[in-house]
Amino acid sequence: MARKRSAILTDGELRLMEVVWRLGRGTVGEVLEALPEPRPSYSTVLTMLRILERKGYLAHDGSARAYVYRPLVAREDAARHAVGHLVQSFFAGSPVALALSLVESDKPSDEELQRLRVLIDRYEDTP
């Protein structure tokens, strides 16, 4: 049984997961080939795929000559988990504090401001 997922993926792990999500499944060689340059070594990719498997992000099918890795976690679920970790770690569990920080640090476009207004209006109209 896979152990519980770690809170977040490292940059290197995310890079590999992006490839596996895009491919849907793949051997070490296929994942390596799909990575952009500069590529890590075969053994590095193998080690990282094994780590991702232990973390619960991947599983492998060993019925073929080479292991074929497939994602156990959808990209959206991994992103949601990482954002939740960020909110807990830096914003005292408040998603609104994160949103305010993002809006304050980077001026939203007119379209984004309109979307925010619609959300605010929706919440103000909700009892």
Side-chain angles (χ1 to χ4, degrees):
M1 179 174 196
R3 82 176 195 201
K4 185 179 177 195
R5 272 195 318 269
S6 294
I8 56 172
L9 294 168
T10 66
D11 290 344
E13 291 167 350
L14 179 57
R15 185 175 176 215
L16 289 185
M17 285 302 300
E18 291 289 0
V19 169
V20 177
W21 283 321
R22 187 175 68 245
L23 295 176
R25 58 189 314 115
T27 64
V28 176
E30 290 167 340
V31 171
L32 178 62
E33 186 64 32
L35 286 168
E37 294 289 346
R39 291 185 181 112
S41 70
Y42 182 95
S43 62
T44 297
V45 172
L46 173 61
T47 298
M48 291 178 70
L49 290 173
R50 287 178 176 166
I51 290 168
L52 287 164
E53 187 171 27
R54 281 195 307 271
K55 285 184 169 185
Y57 284 91
L58 295 176
H60 75 270
D61 175 14
S63 61
R65 189 173 148 212
Y67 283 176
V68 178
Y69 291 89
R70 61 182 165 75
L72 292 177
V73 177
R75 188 181 191 293
E76 298 75 24
D77 292 337
R80 193 172 13 264
H81 190 71
V83 170
H85 181 263
L86 178 70
V87 167
Q88 290 301 318
S89 298
F90 292 97
F91 298 96
S94 172
V96 173
L98 170 61
L100 291 171
S101 176
L102 292 171
V103 171
E104 290 170 349
S105 67
D106 189 26
K107 183 185 181 317
S109 68
D110 289 342
E111 179 182 318
E112 291 166 331
L113 284 171
Q114 182 57 37
R115 289 177 61 196
L116 287 170
R117 283 185 190 100
V118 168
L119 284 173
I120 291 168
D121 290 344
R122 184 181 312 152
Y123 286 119
E124 287 179 339
D125 292 341
T126 304

